[in-house]
Amino acid sequence: MAAMIEFRTPGFNPYAVKYSPYYNDRIAVSSAANYGIVGNGRLFCLGLGPQGVQIIKTFDTNDAQYDLAWSEINENQLLAACGDGSIKLYDMNVNDFPVMNFHEHKREVYAVSWSPVTKDTFVSSSWDGTVKIWSPARTESLRTLPIGNCTYSASYCPSNPNIISAVSADSHLRIFDLRKPIDSTYGRADIIQVHKPPPVPMPPGVSPPAMPAEILTHDWNKYRDTIIATGGVDRVIRAFDIRNPQGGPVSIMMGHDYAVRRLAWSPHAADILISASYDMTVRLWTDGSTMAEAVQQPVRPGVQLGVMNRHTEFVTGVDWCLFGVGGWVATVGWDERLLLWDANAMLQGRGPV
């Protein structure tokens, strides 16, 4: 069994984990007391050294913290998405209190994401059915994108700062182009119906549910900037090409026993994806795009490369380290644990971690 580096968050159940985009030894975890139902939140800023994982700084909030994002313009700053509808910007050089507070959402903020291209804005999504675009220099939002349903995740296209995506409880993936006018009611967006059966034949033995279900997470491919993967309550991971919104999924990955809570494309390989689930497992996948026998199929069946089952509660967060040999992963779960582990064994076909 492969070695793991473990850190505990006693009294707080983690919701998200992110490696620093600046340092390979710095990690942040957002968490909530009492599983996020009631109570405080805590942001852990952690450093990895010879003695293992050590706390650099913590920041407490009055409500739960559901997500976080490192700043793309300041290596010491990061955002926390809070259950009271606020987003707080913390600086690791400033004790206790946020340096900025952004509070326009009417319900829980469930996701935050910093623009990786222009680096001067970030986006948030909320259960109030809106996505908001912000500048870290002002407390009022720059723009509001109406979704109309509980919105679980929002993100920027990795190559175009004008393209923003969001997934929501109505089983839709929405793609907004900020260069176009936005309708004030529902938003002028390309809408992909995630559960709509594709117009082409499915691979043999692959039959995902066609009933709509909540989409909880999504992520942009880092190498193919028109590919987005989604996951949610129906346990299925689907990859879509946004150039063809009505074309259905280009790849389907099935294997989780419960809802897919978080997923992330690898920053090191175009076909590799990792997912975290309420079935207490983390699974590594290839979407089939590099497999000769799958490339010819209109819908590629993804292949599970391995399973990490060392968590003992819902797994709620997963992230890849940008540095090093390209396989280190951080995962967090409601078991009050952060696990750092090397996925290269799975990538090389050596079985589960």
Side-chain angles (χ1 to χ4, degrees), residues 11 23 30 39 42 44 101 108 165 177-178 184 234 254 258 263 280 289 292-293 299 309 317 326:
Y23 304 107
S30 61
R42 177 168 292 175
F44 292 85
N101 187 55
E108 292 87 339
S165 57
D177 188 335
L178 301 182
S184 61
D234 74 347
M254 299 177 64
Y258 292 104
L263 53 80
M280 308 185 200
S289 59
E293 64 274 18
V299 182
N309 57 7

Side-chain angles (χ1 to χ4, degrees), residues 25-40:
D25 60 352
R26 192 171 289 182
I27 304 158
V29 175
S30 61
S31 64
N34 304 307
Y35 305 97
I37 299 171
V38 64
N40 297 346

Side-chain angles (χ1 to χ4, degrees), residues 271-292:
D271 67 312
I272 300 299
L273 177 75
I274 199 163
S275 59
S277 169
Y278 290 157
D279 65 8
M280 308 185 200
T281 69
V282 177
R283 298 176 191 245
L284 190 70
W285 311 83
T286 171
D287 68 354
S289 59
T290 60
M291 302 167 59

Side-chain angles (χ1 to χ4, degrees), residues 16-30 43-48 53-59 65 67-81 87-93 102 111-123 134 136 155-156 262 318-323 330 332 338 340:
V17 59
K18 295 288 174 61
Y19 273 100
S20 167
Y22 301 95
Y23 304 107
N24 63 354
D25 60 352
R26 192 171 289 182
I27 304 158
V29 175
S30 61
L43 182 63
F44 292 85
C45 302
L46 307 171
L48 178 61
V53 179
Q54 304 290 327
I55 294 177
I56 300 174
K57 188 147 300 190
T58 60
F59 297 100
Q65 298 178 17
D67 198 18
L68 69 104
W70 287 94
S71 167
E72 292 282 353
I73 54 176
N74 187 321
E75 65 208 48
N76 293 310
Q77 293 186 346
L78 62 171
L79 295 164
I87 306 153
K88 302 185 188 301
L89 179 66
Y90 289 100
D91 191 308
M92 293 172 62
N93 295 316
F102 313 90
V112 284
S113 177
W114 210 288
S115 171
V117 181
T118 62
K119 304 182 186 297
D120 59 354
T121 59
F122 63 90
V123 65
W134 309 81
S155 185
Y156 282 92
R262 189 89 64 165
V318 62
D319 195 32
W320 295 88
C321 181
L322 295 174
F323 306 98
V332 292
L338 159 70
L340 307 178

